[in-house]
Amino acid sequence: MGIRRMALTDINNTSGCLDFLRQAGEFGIAPIIGIDFRNDTEQLFVCLAKNNRGFREMNEYLSYYKTRHQAIPAVAPVLPNCFIIYPWQKGKSVVLKKDEYVGVHPADVAAFRLYGGEYAQDRQVILATASFRNKKDFNTHRLLRAIYHNMLLSKLPKTHQGNLNDQLVAPQALIDTYAELPGIVKNTDDLLKQCHVSFEFGKSKNKQCFTGSLEEDKALLRKLALEGLAYRYKNPPELITKRFETELQTIFDLGFTPYFLINWDIVDYARRQGFFYIGRGSGANSLIAYCLRITDVDPIELDLYFERFINPSRKNPPDFDIDFSHTDRDQIRQYIFEKYPGHTALVGSYSTFEKKSCIRQIGKVFGLPDHEIEILQGDRINKRGLDEYGKLVLQYAEMIQGLPNLLSVHACGVLISEEPITCYTALELMPVGFVSTQFSMIEAEDVGLYKYDILSQRGLGHIKDAVDLVKSNLGEEIDIHRIQDFKIDPRIKEMLKTGDSIGCFYVESPAMRQLMRKLEVDDYLGLVAASSVIRPGVASSGMMREYILRYRYPEKRLEAHPQLLRIMPDTFGVMVYQEDVIKVAHLYAGLTLEEADVMRRGMSGKFRSRAEFQRVKEQFFANCKKKNYPDDEAAEIWRQIESFAGYSFAKGHSASYAVESYQSLYLRAYYPIEFITGVLNNFGGFYSTEFYLHEATMLGATVELPCINNSDNLARLQGKVIHMGFCLVKDLENQTIKNILEERHRNGPFISLNEFVKRVAVSLEQLRILIRIKAFRFTGKTSKELLWDAHMLLNKTKKTVPRKELFVAAPEPTDLPPLEYGDFEDALDQMQILGFPYTSPFTLPEKQYKNTVPARGLIQHLGKVVYMVGYYVNIKRVTTIHGDNMYFGTFIDSDGVLFDTVHFPQSIEQYPFTGKGCYILKGKVIEDFNVPSLEVTNMERIHWAFNADEK
């Protein structure tokens, strides 16, 4: 089109600026960046940055109002390094200051020529908005605006949408439009020529010093690392000291010293606060990180590949993923923000429109009924049979699929910059309570801002709470960091081999428990490998089964490709870790370490579309051809890499997970009830709360329903009795829970329902919930008797008002007629209030089956067709290579023992899962590496002996 200069001015947003600056030069365009400041749809003024200082000024101005959720003033502030352009109609009420102009829209040229004479000619510039390429873009824009405002497209006001004529046109056409305004084209060109913002992309913009200087940083890092070396190794051999010095020098040479020190400072603060944390990611490959106690994985013991973490060609800092308990992470973030004010932000992230969501959203704004939208969302839709609206929905859904929908925050990324963070982005105050960039991790890394990964996970909360419970419940202090002892503990070894790991971090899922049983893994290195083998990539590449075969049967290792076996002897020639991808690319295909890392990152999905990834792929095959590898062999190895690399773990990452798994296993082995209570109180495990309560009973605990006198908000442990927490009670308000706990803490336990309503502010509705869940069972009365009393006590009172009384009068006795009490009323109340029965679910079906097979000893029926009754625990859907759905199920039998099921497409289509409950299952007992499961041919959910939808 002949465009030489172009200004990008998104509305109240700078997220596209860095990409625009990075790529515009490739198209011969001089990029200018700015912001279109608006309140809702009202355009106030356009701001263009003269230079980098101007970009920072406009970012800071926008951030001020964004982070306070305030309207932007109509008159622009003085921004010395920016140009301000008011739309002509707005500019009428503004006295122009230095570097301020009026902008004339193409549609206003005639009117401005007649009525714009009050402005000096040198203050007039073109303001030609270019929002769309064509009418289809405009229609898409209208749909997006209707979706944003949650209204029918036909109801969308003109004020809520752009102008169809705001399309990108060739420069000469624009010049011709303004022919009647002499000088305006030159003014515009002169203004744009004065604008130049640039960044040195790829060069680190992270904080450059932790102390006052780089030399002080180096001295401090060496001092801390040496102290840690003495802490980790009593008499380190030469192998360790040599690697120590090599790593340290590499860190110095690559300029990563402050990065290590900042991560050390974060975990040092965490330890001082008594917070649990796990350092993982490729950072666990570093001996220096181990000595700094950023990680707890010994890289010498595991022979971790340091080059995966840092290599001399690496430009960006290495990865440290530091997990904290979900209850502690915000305090860690707060510490970082307070230590580096103005230089810190969370990394932004954009959620995009997904296919089915696009269809639903567009269908809604077209006014289509739900059933028609659901048809359009189907996988096998007949497009020829669609009406006009159906075709439009699918057409525009395809256009908006993948477009940004909402600004969110990266799961864990925090930026700490040398220059103020507003040099690069405007900031948004997010619901999590911290400011975020307006761009994503990819743009951040492009410009040289590399994130610190501060994650949260509930597994650490399990461990922390369990350790505290052991102390409070049993009076024992335990050292949960004795990992070397845990690795050789015979009880833990047996638990690993048998998959006895419910509640244990990362090793509790059905798939992981099955894998451990198939491998018969009982040591640390085996668990480290299993933690990565379980990832989707290894399974989809077909190498999980191959790994199990080679692990269990040494003779199978001879079938490995000789070169791959030489490169990866520890994993028998199977790619298990991210390092293996790099090793194969480097040692097999001859890629440089830098090229291999680009390949790995590309396959993770971060840069798969980038040109540099495509170049590396081409180089891989070119190198293989030079080495005279057969084409089919190179293609097969690339296939394995491609299916695997995006999901694989670094070995150090897997090792870090294994450390946490060992801590969980130790607690489950020796303090099972305290451990499972910790699991219950942190939620977020693989299974439901109902199942963890079941597991608690299997571990020897007595589980009690919520009780006014014994329960807290979370589960409360007294000896071996677990009292369910009030948080499990559906529709019980937080304020009611708070009132109960505060009053009980102040004045002791409650003695009756009458006394309770006099002491606690509670509504009849809330009181009914507590009665129905048996929270007043200590009174010895039935729920129906208590409900009668509650209605008499509260009568027409909406809510009780607590009052102090010297003597609490007993209520007048009420002569009640005999109250009917059904066998299943309690179970029905429990299911409606807790979401599951406290009573054994196997006592509730309307039909009881005989001659069924128990889960224990299932292997003895191998190859036979049997019947089993199981209570639903979990299902997992997978897609076959033909695109059909099949399922893997997990159930418990009446003895409380878990068993697994397989449901192939034909079976699941005819006999689908129909919700929670007890199922009668018929199928053939099969095994894989001596681990049995039921291949289901028939399945039906057994009806309850009552209607669970009643009441």
Side-chain angles (χ1 to χ4, degrees):
M1 296 182 75
I3 296 172
R4 293 177 291 110
R5 294 185 183 85
M6 181 182 285
L8 176 68
T9 57
D10 285 332
I11 298 170
N12 296 347
N13 193 287
T14 59
S15 61
C17 290
L18 294 181
D19 249 2
F20 184 52
L21 291 173
R22 184 175 66 84
Q23 297 185 57
E26 298 174 19
F27 300 90
I29 295 173
I32 295 98
I33 54 176
I35 299 172
D36 185 342
F37 285 90
R38 299 194 185 195
N39 286 325
D40 197 13
T41 58
E42 181 190 8
Q43 186 178 45
L44 305 174
F45 52 88
V46 173
C47 184
L48 299 180
K50 296 181 186 177
N51 48 42
N52 286 62
R53 291 191 300 279
F55 187 46
R56 176 184 169 186
E57 288 168 1
M58 67 170 67
N59 281 332
E60 289 181 345
Y61 183 69
L62 179 60
S63 299
Y64 180 88
Y65 294 98
K66 280 277 190 181
T67 56
R68 289 164 176 78
H69 301 295
Q70 294 178 4
I72 299 168
V75 178
V78 175
L79 301 176
N81 294 284
C82 296
F83 293 116
I84 303 296
I85 304 168
Y86 289 98
W88 169 48
Q89 300 294 346
K90 288 282 180 187
K92 290 179 181 179
S93 59
V94 177
V95 177
L96 298 181
K97 301 186 284 291
K98 183 177 179 293
D99 292 330
E100 292 189 344
Y101 297 81
V102 290
V104 182
H105 190 273
D108 293 333
V109 169
F112 185 82
R113 190 168 58 82
L114 293 173
Y115 305 112
E118 71 267 31
Y119 296 106
Q121 284 194 9
D122 62 353
R123 293 297 186 97
Q124 303 170 14
V125 294
I126 296 171
L127 188 59
T129 302
S131 299
F132 317 111
R133 294 168 298 177
N134 47 46
K135 187 175 181 181
K136 187 172 281 189
D137 276 6
F138 174 69
N139 291 340
T140 306
H141 157 76
R142 292 184 69 236
L143 288 168
L144 289 169
R145 296 298 293 162
I147 290 169
Y148 176 80
H149 288 285
N150 193 25
M151 62 172 57
L152 291 172
L153 184 63
S154 58
K155 302 287 186 182
L156 184 69
K158 293 282 188 184
T159 55
H160 283 33
Q161 54 188 287
N163 190 316
L164 172 61
N165 295 319
D166 287 343
Q167 296 185 26
L168 185 65
V169 297
Q172 188 57 51
L174 200 60
I175 291 169
D176 293 344
T177 301
Y178 290 87
E180 297 180 347
L181 295 176
I184 198 169
V185 173
K186 184 178 185 303
N187 292 345
T188 307
D189 201 41
D190 289 345
L191 183 149
L192 294 179
K193 284 178 181 177
Q194 297 177 65
C195 297
H196 180 71
V197 177
S198 66
F199 292 101
E200 189 176 350
F201 286 91
K203 183 178 179 181
S204 176
K205 311 295 190 302
N206 278 22
K207 187 161 180 61
Q208 298 298 300
C209 287
F210 178 73
T211 60
S213 72
L214 195 53
E215 290 308 310
E216 289 180 51
D217 276 7
K218 289 179 179 179
L220 177 60
L221 183 59
R222 176 174 287 279
K223 172 180 175 292
L224 293 169
L226 283 170
E227 290 173 357
L229 184 68
Y231 170 79
R232 294 294 195 186
Y233 305 99
K234 291 183 180 177
N235 296 297
E238 184 182 355
L239 170 71
I240 292 176
T241 56
K242 187 176 179 181
R243 173 156 171 175
F244 179 92
E245 290 297 335
T246 301
E247 279 198 29
L248 200 59
Q249 192 57 50
T250 304
I251 293 164
F252 291 162
D253 292 344
L254 294 176
F256 296 153
T257 307
Y259 186 79
F260 274 76
L261 287 172
I262 289 171
N263 276 292
W264 163 81
D265 180 60
I266 291 168
V267 298
D268 181 65
Y269 171 78
R271 284 198 306 275
R272 285 186 276 117
Q273 300 303 310
F275 295 164
F276 280 45
Y277 67 90
I278 288 283
R280 55 180 177 85
S282 61
N285 288 37
S286 166
L287 177 63
I288 298 299
Y290 181 57
C291 291
L292 294 174
R293 300 179 70 182
I294 297 171
T295 72
D296 272 321
V297 172
D298 185 344
I300 307 301
E301 177 189 11
L302 287 169
D303 190 25
L304 296 183
Y305 193 54
F306 178 60
E307 286 78 3
R308 162 63 184 93
F309 181 56
I310 295 178
N311 61 71
S313 62
R314 184 166 189 160
K315 295 183 177 66
N316 58 306
D319 300 323
F320 284 121
D321 299 330
I322 307 177
D323 286 320
F324 297 91
S325 168
H326 65 105
T327 58
D328 300 333
R329 180 170 70 158
D330 279 351
Q331 191 170 330
I332 295 291
R333 282 173 166 174
Q334 190 66 40
Y335 172 75
I336 296 170
F337 272 77
E338 289 176 357
K339 182 144 190 171
Y340 308 103
H343 295 252
T344 307
L346 302 183
V347 182
S349 174
Y350 281 88
S351 61
T352 56
F353 284 100
E354 301 299 327
K355 181 180 177 181
K356 290 196 174 182
S357 171
C358 295
I359 294 170
R360 172 157 293 281
Q361 296 285 358
I362 294 175
K364 280 174 63 179
V365 301
F366 276 152
L368 299 186
D370 285 346
H371 72 275
E372 289 188 25
I373 294 174
E374 287 168 9
I375 291 171
L376 292 172
Q377 288 178 312
D379 295 327
R380 294 186 175 91
I381 185 168
N382 178 17
K383 293 184 180 180
R384 291 182 181 178
L386 297 177
D387 61 14
E388 181 186 355
Y389 281 109
K391 290 175 182 176
L392 283 173
V393 168
L394 294 183
Q395 177 187 342
Y396 281 99
E398 195 170 313
M399 290 192 68
I400 72 170
Q401 185 177 344
L403 292 180
N405 183 7
L406 298 170
L407 176 65
S408 181
V409 292
H410 186 274
C412 57
V414 178
L415 300 179
I416 305 174
S417 58
E418 175 66 17
E419 301 298 326
I421 199 72
T422 46
C423 290
Y424 312 100
T425 178
L427 302 174
E428 300 267 357
L429 182 62
M430 304 305 286
V432 292
F434 299 96
V435 295
S436 163
T437 64
Q438 290 187 324
F439 52 63
S440 75
M441 175 188 79
I442 295 174
E443 292 77 35
E445 290 193 358
D446 283 340
V447 81
L449 289 167
Y450 303 104
K451 60 186 172 61
Y452 294 78
D453 291 318
I454 309 298
L455 301 99
S456 80
Q457 52 135 298
R458 295 179 182 265
L460 288 168
H462 300 170
I463 294 168
K464 181 182 177 183
D465 284 3
V467 170
D468 290 343
L469 282 167
V470 170
K471 183 177 179 181
S472 61
N473 196 46
L474 302 176
E476 295 183 32
E477 295 263 8
I478 57 174
D479 181 0
I480 200 61
H481 301 289
R482 296 184 296 109
I483 305 301
Q484 296 303 330
D485 293 336
F486 301 163
K487 290 175 186 176
I488 58 174
D489 187 290
R491 196 179 295 185
I492 294 175
K493 283 179 172 288
E494 184 61 24
M495 289 169 67
L496 285 170
K497 286 180 71 173
T498 58
D500 182 16
S501 53
I502 298 297
C504 298
F505 175 75
Y506 202 70
V507 293
E508 66 165 334
S509 70
M512 190 63 181
R513 289 186 300 102
Q514 280 196 21
L515 177 61
M516 291 191 299
R517 291 162 67 192
K518 290 174 184 178
L519 288 169
E520 295 185 348
V521 63
D522 70 347
D523 62 9
Y524 176 57
L525 294 178
L527 182 58
V528 170
S531 297
S532 192
V533 168
I534 195 68
R535 299 287 290 168
V538 188
S540 63
S541 69
M543 297 308 291
M544 178 193 283
R545 184 170 187 80
E546 196 60 37
Y547 178 81
I548 299 170
L549 285 167
R550 296 179 194 179
Y551 184 93
R552 289 278 299 270
Y553 310 113
E555 65 274 12
K556 284 285 186 181
R557 299 168 193 175
L558 300 175
E559 298 176 8
H561 187 290
Q563 288 208 58
L564 298 186
L565 187 60
R566 176 179 56 81
I567 294 168
M568 300 170 290
D570 292 344
T571 55
F572 325 120
V574 176
M575 282 179 277
V576 170
Y577 308 111
Q578 283 185 358
E579 291 90 334
D580 297 336
V581 174
I582 293 176
K583 286 178 183 179
V584 171
H586 179 52
L587 299 174
Y588 171 80
L591 296 182
T592 66
L593 287 171
E594 184 176 19
E595 288 170 336
D597 202 44
V598 168
M599 182 194 73
R600 178 194 64 80
R601 289 164 65 79
M603 288 179 175
S604 72
K606 296 174 185 174
F607 303 109
R608 194 182 286 268
S609 62
R610 291 284 185 87
E612 55 262 45
F613 172 68
Q614 189 59 35
R615 284 196 295 270
V616 168
K617 180 178 180 179
E618 291 168 2
Q619 190 66 52
F620 177 94
F621 284 103
N623 288 4
C624 288
K625 207 162 196 66
K626 284 181 186 176
K627 290 174 176 280
N628 294 317
Y629 297 149
D631 289 347
D632 57 346
E633 177 184 294
E636 170 58 20
I637 289 177
W638 177 264
R639 184 195 68 80
Q640 289 183 29
I641 290 173
E642 194 167 33
S643 64
F644 166 75
Y647 299 97
S648 58
F649 279 164
K651 189 175 183 180
H653 184 105
S654 290
S656 298
Y657 269 8
V659 166
E660 189 174 344
S661 297
Y662 267 99
Q663 291 174 319
S664 294
L665 287 160
Y666 169 76
L667 289 165
R668 179 179 166 90
Y670 292 95
Y671 305 97
I673 297 175
E674 287 74 17
F675 169 70
I676 205 69
T677 305
V679 172
L680 282 165
N681 283 344
N682 281 273
F683 306 94
F686 185 87
Y687 301 98
S688 66
T689 296
E690 176 189 9
F691 181 70
Y692 289 124
L693 288 167
H694 158 77
E695 186 66 12
T697 63
M698 298 295 287
L699 293 172
T702 299
V703 176
E704 293 282 355
L705 286 166
C707 172
I708 292 299
N709 283 332
N710 291 308
S711 290
D712 293 332
N713 185 45
L714 297 173
R716 181 185 181 194
L717 180 62
Q718 291 179 305
K720 292 189 175 184
V721 178
I722 298 174
H723 298 277
M724 290 188 207
F726 288 125
C727 65
L728 299 183
V729 180
K730 183 182 176 183
D731 295 331
L732 188 63
E733 296 167 2
N734 289 333
Q735 189 59 50
T736 300
I737 297 171
K738 184 180 177 185
N739 292 346
I740 293 168
L741 297 180
E742 287 182 351
E743 172 57 27
R744 194 177 76 197
H745 179 72
R746 279 193 304 264
N747 297 310
F750 304 97
I751 59 174
S752 67
L753 179 65
N754 179 44
E755 187 218 23
F756 176 83
V757 298
K758 292 179 186 283
R759 288 170 56 183
V760 176
V762 64
S763 67
L764 179 59
E765 178 191 1
Q766 294 284 285
L767 193 58
R768 281 173 52 84
I769 293 170
L770 290 167
I771 290 170
R772 287 176 60 204
I773 203 58
K774 300 279 190 180
F776 289 93
R777 59 189 178 278
F778 65 88
T779 63
K781 291 187 173 184
T782 66
S783 296
K784 288 191 174 181
E785 291 170 337
L786 288 166
L787 286 170
W788 186 284
D789 289 347
H791 281 274
M792 296 298 292
L793 287 167
L794 270 67
N795 199 3
K796 296 181 181 180
T797 307
K798 289 186 177 180
K799 195 169 187 176
T800 60
V801 179
R803 58 185 183 276
K804 290 186 177 181
E805 295 182 355
L806 186 59
F807 301 102
V808 179
E812 294 183 12
T814 308
D815 292 327
L816 294 177
L819 300 175
E820 292 185 9
Y821 207 73
D823 292 340
F824 301 107
E825 288 191 31
D826 285 346
L828 182 57
D829 281 338
Q830 293 154 14
M831 292 170 72
Q832 292 179 341
I833 296 173
L834 296 176
F836 54 87
Y838 171 73
T839 309
S840 168
F842 292 95
T843 65
L844 304 178
E846 65 178 4
K847 185 177 181 181
Q848 298 294 324
Y849 289 83
K850 297 179 180 179
N851 302 319
T852 57
V853 170
R856 192 176 281 114
L858 186 60
I859 194 72
Q860 296 168 11
H861 301 274
L862 187 61
K864 297 177 183 176
V865 174
V866 300
Y867 286 89
M868 301 183 75
V869 173
Y871 183 64
Y872 170 96
V873 173
N874 178 263
I875 57 170
K876 178 184 179 181
R877 181 179 66 84
V878 297
T879 305
T880 69
I881 57 173
H882 301 296
D884 297 318
N885 291 329
M886 66 174 291
Y887 287 79
F888 295 97
T890 304
F891 296 84
I892 55 173
D893 70 1
S894 57
D895 296 324
V897 179
L898 284 162
F899 65 94
D900 300 302
T901 58
V902 182
H903 307 255
F904 287 107
Q906 187 175 355
S907 166
I908 199 66
E909 189 171 337
Q910 193 171 358
Y911 302 101
F913 285 94
T914 54
K916 293 172 64 176
C918 288
Y919 284 78
I920 177 69
L921 305 119
K922 177 186 177 184
K924 182 180 177 181
V925 180
I926 59 175
E927 64 85 29
D928 193 28
F929 296 100
N930 211 38
V931 176
S933 57
L934 187 70
E935 183 183 310
V936 175
T937 55
N938 300 67
M939 175 178 73
E940 184 181 1
R941 183 159 63 93
I942 311 169
H943 293 297
W944 299 122
F946 51 88
N947 185 352
D949 296 323
E950 287 178 357
K951 235 174 185 177

